[in-house]
């Protein structure tokens, strides 16, 4: 490792296992002092799922990948790094404030925030309960806002800060994952807004959509595959499944992406949404642009006549228009 983050202080929420754990360990190897975090001691994944309702293979995989903030911190310290576990639900403002205060009291700074905490799951419009909706939305977008709210004033004083908000490729809309898609789309909107607010202070804000091995992926991904097959009657393209398997490798491979964007030389990169895969692929989403427009003829007033709109929509959408809703669940 290049020790490119020597002297920097990083907070990685949701870093007890999976993606967050990989990023926390990787940033520590680059020299950062890291506060690891998850809600409570012990693996939330093992507590949330019922072994009796899962295939034995999924359960064994989950157990092998389980952990918490303390176990991640111990890995970092065993490798000679500095780390401190912090337990608490950062979707609660008072907990997020305490976490930031802990970083300042312990190491006198908070330079890098990785808002990785999330509530994972699946569910359609008709099947989701209010509890499931809140679990998947509040834990990601509100938690990210809370930590930014309390940490940004310290970053503004230093004229330096790097904020990374975890989203998912589901932000573009994944059927039968309505709450999860909503949560991630909200994170992208938050990222764009905050990036524009904070750029003048030397603070960058980017969103990342990661793919890597995690306990939840071992369960929810397989569950989603079974759900898609039940609806469509078909297995997803085996080539795509092979690619997904390849991309969900060791999440520590994602850390260099965060480390590079934390450098001074990357201070102009902000307000972006990246997809990054543990297989080594990095992709950039384009910022939304208006692709069609129609206006009422000058002097005829703003009110469209309904029978005019067929031609208008043909003009706006183009001759080759295909509805996004008609595309496969596995197409972006």
């Amino acid at each position: 490792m290049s020790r490119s983050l020597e002297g920097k202080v990083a907070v990685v929420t949701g870093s007890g296992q999976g993606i967050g754990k990989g990023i926390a360990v990787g940033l520590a190897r680059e020299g950062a002092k890291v506060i690891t975090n998850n809600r409570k001691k012990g693996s939330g994944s093992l507590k949330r799922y019922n072994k009796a309702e899962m295939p034995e293979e999924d359960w064994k995989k989950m157990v092998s990948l389980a952990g918490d903030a303390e176990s991640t911190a111990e890995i970092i310290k065993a490798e000679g790094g500095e780390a401190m576990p912090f337990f608490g639900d950062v979707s609660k403002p008072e907990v997020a404030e305490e976490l930031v205060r802990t970083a300042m009291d312990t190491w006198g700074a908070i330079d890098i925030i990785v808002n990785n905490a999330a509530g994972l799951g699946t569910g359609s419009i008709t099947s989701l309960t209010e509890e499931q909706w809140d679990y998947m939305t509040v834990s990601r977008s509100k938690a990210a806002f809370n930590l930014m709210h309390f940490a940004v004033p310290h970053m503004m004083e230093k004229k330096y800060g790097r904020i990374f908000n975890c989203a998912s490729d589901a932000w573009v809309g994944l059927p039968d994952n309505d709450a999860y898609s909503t949560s991630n789309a909200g994170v992208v909107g938050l990222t764009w807004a905050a990036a524009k607010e904070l750029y003048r202070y030397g603070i960058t804000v980017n969103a990342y959509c990661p793919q890597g091995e995690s306990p939840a992926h071992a369960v929810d991904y397989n569950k989603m595959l079974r759900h898609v097959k039940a609806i469509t009657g078909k297995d997803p393209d085996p080539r795509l499944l092979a690619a997904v398997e390849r991309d969900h490798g060791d999440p520590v491979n994602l850390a260099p992406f965060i480390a590079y964007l934390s450098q001074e030389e990357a201070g102009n990169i902000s307000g972006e949404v990246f997809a990054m895969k543990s297989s080594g692929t990095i992709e950039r989403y384009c910022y939304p642009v208006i692709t069609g427009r129609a206006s009422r003829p000058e002097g005829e007033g703003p009110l469209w006549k309904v029978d005019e709109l067929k031609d208008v929509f043909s003009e706006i959408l183009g001759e080759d228009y295909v509805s996004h809703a008609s595309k496969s669940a596995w197409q972006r």
Side-chain angles (χ1 to χ4, degrees), residues 37 43 57 92 98 124 138 154 199 214 233 267:
N37 159 260
S43 171
E57 182 180 351
K92 299 177 180 178
E98 183 182 352
S124 66
V138 172
H154 300 290
Y199 190 76
S214 69

Side-chain angles (χ1 to χ4, degrees), residues 109-307:
I110 182 165
D111 302 298
I112 302 165
I113 295 174
V114 183
N115 283 312
N116 192 77
L120 305 179
T122 59
S124 66
I125 287 291
T126 56
S127 68
L128 280 166
T129 65
E130 182 179 5
E131 181 182 8
Q132 290 172 321
W133 178 272
D134 290 345
Y135 177 77
M136 283 183 264
T137 57
V138 172
S139 58
R140 177 152 276 174
S141 53
K142 188 176 180 183
F145 166 76
N146 284 343
L147 204 56
M148 292 165 67
H149 175 75
F150 292 109
V152 160
H154 300 290
M155 293 178 165
M156 292 171 72
E157 288 182 10
K158 291 184 68 175
K159 300 291 183 182
Y160 170 90
R162 298 291 184 264
I163 300 171
F164 302 92
N165 294 328
C166 184
S168 161
D169 294 318
W171 78 275
V172 300
L174 187 62
D176 303 298
N177 285 262
D178 298 273
Y180 190 61
S181 297
T182 299
S183 175
N184 288 293
V187 165
V188 170
L190 173 63
T191 297
W192 283 333
K196 294 170 184 176
E197 292 174 24
L198 301 177
Y199 190 76
R200 65 185 182 274
Y201 297 104
I203 302 169
T204 65
V205 189
N206 291 290
Y208 65 101
C209 304
Q211 292 187 24
E213 193 172 48
S214 69
H217 178 261
V219 177
D220 287 327
Y221 174 67
N222 290 335
K223 179 180 177 182
M224 184 172 65
L225 290 182
R226 292 190 292 269
H227 185 65
V228 170
K229 183 176 181 179
I231 292 174
T232 64
K234 299 178 181 179
D235 287 316
D237 188 327
R239 293 170 298 178
L240 182 58
L241 294 182
V244 170
E245 189 68 26
R246 181 190 66 236
D247 292 335
H248 284 77
D250 190 345
V252 78
N253 298 341
L254 305 173
F257 169 92
I258 303 291
Y260 172 72
L261 290 179
S262 296
Q263 309 302 303
E264 293 287 350
E265 68 184 62
N268 65 318
I269 303 174
S270 192
E272 299 293 344
V273 182
F274 296 100
M276 58 175 183
K277 303 171 184 179
S278 57
S279 58
T281 298
I282 299 172
E283 300 170 325
R284 177 195 180 201
Y285 280 98
C286 68
Y287 194 83
V289 296
I290 295 173
T291 58
R293 177 183 284 111
S295 300
R296 290 280 294 153
E298 188 174 349
E300 293 190 13
L303 182 64
W304 288 103
K305 297 179 179 65
V306 173
D307 57 9

